[in-house]
Amino acid sequence: MTCRLGALCFDANDPRALTLFWAGLLGWERAGDGHTLLPVDDTGFRLRFSPSSQRKTGQNQMHFDLTSTSHGDQQRTVARALELGARHIDLGQRPEEGHVVLADPEGNEFCVVGPGNDFLADCGFVGAVAGEGSRETGYFWSEALGWPLVWDQDEETAIRSPRGGPKITWGGPPLPPKNGKNRLHFDLVPDGGQRAEVDRLLALGAKRVDIGQGEVSWVVMADPDGHEFCVLTPPEQT
């Protein structure tokens, strides 16, 4: 029994505005609920923007790496993002790294990677969901999703769906301190029953966590590094 990655979810102070920003940047379609984006490529999971009154206070644990086919293509992506409301930010990146670091209107970081990146060479526009995390967590997610490891070197790991789409990466130590709930998290949809899937994930090294969710239909869990994710009930996959 396994599960599938249903969505990458953003906590958003203005879900509609953030949905419109990412729809414009990625070219994805908006679902009928108005705050979910449907991929038009092989990404394989949705983006969902959930209302939150909490303001962003630190750097996110996960961010997108967007790819480029040429320097001109990279410049066009950056220009489009800025027109939609993004801004340049400095996270200590060096010019020779060849990527441009931006933040969306609510400060969520993302990178526009320059051409010629071998690691993302066979990926689409959304090249990777890049995260802070240990090798143990990379192994956990490989087992949880049934995605093979495509990188495992020097404590850095990456997995990718057998059907293609973005890679999910973990950069290894040192890990930054975790301050409160992450603003981005995965929503998982079980192939079978929710309870059986929760038990399987617990056996793999996850744990249940309480973030004040109250009585809800989904189960909130955390991976071995303490990063939250949700296990939905099968009807919620739509």
Side-chain angles (χ1 to χ4, degrees), residues 2-177:
T2 58
C3 57
R4 68 177 177 85
L5 176 54
L8 173 60
C9 301
F10 288 68
D11 286 354
N13 302 133
D14 188 341
R16 181 180 181 276
L18 216 54
T19 302
L20 291 173
F21 170 84
W22 283 102
L25 182 58
L26 300 179
W28 289 16
E29 298 175 354
R30 294 174 66 195
D33 62 11
H35 59 264
T36 300
L37 294 181
L38 309 177
V40 296
D41 53 21
D42 66 352
T43 296
F45 57 85
R46 304 176 179 193
L47 297 186
R48 185 172 294 130
F49 302 89
S50 302
S52 173
S53 60
Q54 298 297 315
R55 297 286 174 177
K56 185 176 183 293
T57 57
Q59 185 175 335
N60 287 338
Q61 179 261 338
M62 292 188 287
H63 69 268
F64 280 134
D65 282 344
L66 305 180
T67 65
S68 306
T69 58
S70 66
H71 289 295
D73 182 50
Q74 182 185 31
Q75 292 170 355
R76 286 188 292 272
T77 298
V78 171
R80 183 166 73 252
L82 295 174
E83 290 171 1
L84 290 167
R87 68 180 188 275
H88 288 277
I89 57 172
D90 184 356
L91 298 179
Q93 66 271 19
R94 301 184 302 275
E96 62 269 21
E97 292 174 343
H99 57 263
V100 179
V101 183
L102 302 171
D104 71 16
E106 293 196 8
N108 299 301
E109 304 88 1
F110 63 97
C111 294
V112 184
V113 180
N117 185 290
D118 292 339
F119 182 68
L120 302 177
D122 60 344
C123 298
F125 182 47
V126 181
V129 179
E132 303 288 349
S134 65
R135 188 184 190 200
E136 179 186 6
T137 287
Y139 276 54
F140 165 82
W141 281 106
S142 178
E143 292 289 337
L145 295 174
W147 292 10
L149 285 161
V150 295
W151 182 264
D152 184 9
Q153 185 173 315
D154 299 328
E155 300 294 328
E156 298 178 353
T157 50
I159 63 175
R160 192 182 189 193
S161 168
R163 295 177 293 277
K167 296 176 179 178
I168 303 178
T169 73
W170 294 270
L175 304 182

Side-chain angles (χ1 to χ4, degrees), residues 211-228:
I211 56 171
Q213 65 267 25
E215 294 295 326
V216 294
S217 61
W218 56 89
V219 177
V220 183
M221 307 188 75
D223 67 22
D225 287 335
H227 301 302
E228 304 87 2

